[in-house]
């Protein structure tokens, strides 16, 4: 009985050692995987979004979850068997498909989040603190919303080029209104629909019709100030007047894929709007002195890296000056 007991104890110890080694291999793999995913996201925030603060948040998180204690790192390296990993060559079809930037981000968020969950479960094997990985995972959920929203809106905002039509709800009040709107959409890829109706129901009706036409043509519909109308018709974004709701509050209310524009009259206002979450800016030349407006437009363009629309243009010279000053788009209807 004594011999059997000793033998059983030895087997139990061997099994425990084997199990610990396997667990450490899993920890090692997932430390690498989480770090790789976070590094990709950090580089996108740094070089694509050009957001130093966001890039720093990813960097700090990457350092937070990395293995910094050398003795523990050596244990992981000793257990590593990369050449014997049976799953190394397993690839899904999605891994080989072409990804958009947003899809690349989603993939790396998933990679990092899933790895952190594994580390949370197995951390006690190496005397690590599970809560560190749990907290990091939830921090990453918040960062995912921020980064994916930013990238999605940037892709959408690329359509703000050349001609930006500002019309009111009376523009289509004719017998051939649909034909007229379709002709307009042959020339522009973004329309701002102002309210010229005494009743919001009339404005809402026109906005719904225009949203369908814009969707069919791949164009964007922007609603000024009326958050409720924008949501009701599924417009692509909203633009706020200078005295409209603060940019920060509106950014919190908007779905993460909806554009937020702001009317500005100076580089200072532009910088503030950009810092508070605006996706594009609208500069009205009629609100500036004639001899200063193009200098102001140029200063705005230098101050922020956002699409800039110039409105209030009255002559062909205005159009040329606006584009020369850095405008990405001009108000077609004003300049016509």
């Amino acid at each position: 009985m004594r011999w059997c007991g000793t033998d059983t104890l030895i087997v139990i110890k061997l099994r425990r050692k084997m199990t610990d080694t396997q667990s450490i291999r899993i920890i090692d793999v997932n430390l690498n995987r989480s770090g790789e995913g976070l590094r990709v996201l950090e580089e996108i925030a740094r070089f694509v979004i050009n957001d130093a603060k966001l890039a720093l948040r990813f960097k700090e998180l990457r350092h937070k979850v990395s293995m910094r204690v050398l003795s523990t790192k050596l244990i992981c390296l000793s257990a590593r068997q990369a050449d014997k990993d049976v799953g190394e060559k397993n690839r899904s079809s999605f891994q080989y498909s072409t990804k958009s930037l947003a899809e690349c981000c989603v993939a790396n968020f998933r990679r990092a989040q899933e790895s952190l969950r594994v580390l949370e479960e197995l951390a006690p094997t190496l005397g690590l603190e599970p809560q560190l990985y749990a907290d990091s995972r939830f921090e990453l959920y918040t960062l995912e919303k921020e980064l994916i929203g930013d990238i999605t809106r940037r892709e959408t905002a690329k359509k703000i080029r050349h001609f930006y039509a500002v019309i009111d709800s009376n523009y289509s009040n004719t017998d051939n209104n649909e034909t007229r709107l379709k002709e307009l959409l042959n020339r522009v890829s973004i329309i701002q629909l102002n309210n010229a109706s005494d009743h919001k129901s009339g404005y809402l009706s026109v906005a719904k019709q225009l949203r369908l036409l814009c969707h069919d043509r791949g164009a964007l519909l922007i609603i000024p100030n009326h958050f409720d109308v924008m949501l009701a018709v599924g417009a692509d974004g909203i633009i706020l007047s200078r005295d409209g709701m603060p940019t920060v509050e509106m950014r919190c209310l908007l779905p993460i894929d909806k554009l937020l524009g702001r009317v500005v009259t100076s580089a200072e206002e532009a910088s503030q709007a950009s810092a508070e979450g605006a996706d594009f800016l609208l500069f009205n030349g009629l609100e500036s002195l004639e001899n200063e407006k193009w200098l102001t437009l140029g200063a705005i363009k230098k101050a922020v890296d956002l699409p800039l629309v110039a409105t209030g243009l009255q002559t062909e010279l205005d159009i040329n000056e606006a584009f020369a000053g850095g405008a990405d788009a001009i108000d077609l209807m004003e300049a016509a």
Side-chain angles (χ1 to χ4, degrees):
M1 291 293 295
R2 185 177 181 181
W3 180 85
C4 290
T6 303
D7 184 61
T8 301
L9 183 61
I10 292 173
V11 170
I12 291 173
K13 288 183 176 180
L14 287 172
R15 285 178 177 173
R16 183 176 298 164
K17 182 177 181 181
M18 179 178 65
T19 303
D20 287 350
T21 300
Q22 291 170 334
S23 297
I24 293 169
R25 284 184 67 195
I26 296 173
I27 290 173
D28 180 52
V29 166
N30 282 278
L31 282 170
N32 293 336
R33 187 177 292 129
S34 62
E36 291 161 3
L38 289 169
R39 188 55 185 253
V40 172
L41 296 168
E42 178 187 335
E43 302 293 47
I44 290 173
R46 178 181 177 184
F47 295 108
V48 178
I49 306 301
N50 296 313
D51 189 327
K53 291 182 179 179
L54 187 59
L56 180 59
R57 288 168 67 186
F58 280 113
K59 184 175 184 176
E60 289 176 339
L61 185 58
R62 179 167 56 83
H63 287 176
K64 179 180 176 182
V65 302
S66 64
M67 183 60 66
R68 287 173 291 176
V69 179
L70 180 58
S71 58
T72 310
K73 180 64 175 176
L74 290 174
I75 294 174
C76 288
L77 289 173
S78 296
R80 184 177 296 176
Q81 298 177 26
D83 58 328
K84 297 180 181 179
D85 185 353
V86 297
E88 190 275 330
K89 294 183 180 180
N90 292 342
R91 297 288 186 274
S92 69
S93 58
F94 179 75
Q95 288 177 283
Y96 290 107
S97 62
T98 301
K99 301 183 185 71
S100 67
L101 184 60
E103 288 173 330
C104 177
C105 286
V106 168
N108 281 281
F109 272 112
R110 292 283 84 77
R111 180 176 291 118
Q113 289 160 356
E114 290 167 2
S115 297
L116 290 172
R117 178 61 183 179
V118 174
L119 291 169
E120 179 185 345
E121 293 291 338
L122 297 180
T125 304
L126 283 177
L128 303 174
E129 178 52 56
Q131 194 60 45
L132 180 147
Y133 300 106
D135 293 343
S136 299
R137 180 163 51 87
F138 277 91
E139 183 178 350
L140 204 53
Y141 291 149
T142 300
L143 285 168
E144 180 178 19
K145 179 180 178 180
E146 264 185 65
L147 186 60
I148 298 299
D150 194 313
I151 288 174
T152 302
R153 295 194 305 274
R154 283 172 180 263
E155 288 299 309
T156 303
K158 288 180 180 180
K159 291 186 177 181
I160 304 178
R161 295 290 183 271
H162 307 305
F163 299 117
Y164 177 112
V166 179
I167 64 175
D168 63 44
S169 52
N170 288 331
Y171 180 85
S172 61
N173 286 341
T174 63
D175 293 336
N176 62 339
N177 56 354
E178 187 169 328
T179 300
R180 193 177 183 200
L181 288 170
K182 285 181 177 178
E183 290 175 352
L184 176 62
L185 286 166
N186 287 332
R187 295 184 289 165
V188 303
S189 58
I190 182 167
I191 294 180
Q192 176 181 317
L193 180 66
N194 294 340
N195 186 13
S197 174
D198 293 333
H199 303 286
K200 188 170 285 188
S201 59
Y203 180 46
L204 181 63
S205 177
V206 175
K208 285 181 177 179
Q209 176 196 26
L210 186 53
R211 177 65 187 94
L212 292 174
L213 291 173
C214 287
H215 181 76
D216 290 341
R217 299 299 183 92
L220 305 179
L221 175 61
I222 302 296
I223 300 295
N225 296 314
H226 295 284
F227 176 66
D228 52 350
V229 174
M230 189 220 76
L231 288 181
V233 303
D236 299 285
I238 191 168
I239 186 161
L240 302 174
S241 58
R242 293 183 67 211
D243 58 354
M245 180 180 285
T247 307
V248 171
E249 279 76 2
M250 181 57 75
R251 179 80 278 159
C252 292
L253 292 173
L254 284 174
I256 64 171
D257 62 328
K258 299 300 182 181
L259 295 179
L260 172 53
R262 188 95 216 183
V263 176
V264 297
T265 60
S266 67
E268 290 73 22
E269 289 181 1
S271 296
Q272 181 178 351
S274 177
E276 293 177 349
D279 300 301
F280 71 98
L281 304 173
L282 190 148
F283 171 74
N284 190 336
L286 294 178
E287 296 182 7
S288 300
L289 296 175
E290 183 63 32
N291 61 342
E292 295 180 0
K293 61 183 179 182
W294 306 126
L295 290 175
T296 302
L297 186 145
I300 291 172
K301 193 61 182 177
K302 289 180 180 178
V304 296
D305 182 26
L306 294 177
L308 176 60
V309 181
T311 68
L313 310 179
Q314 297 177 305
T315 67
E316 186 175 344
L317 178 61
D318 281 344
I319 296 173
N320 294 334
E321 291 285 359
F323 279 129
D328 297 287
I330 61 168
D331 172 7
L332 178 67
M333 302 309 294
E334 293 281 3

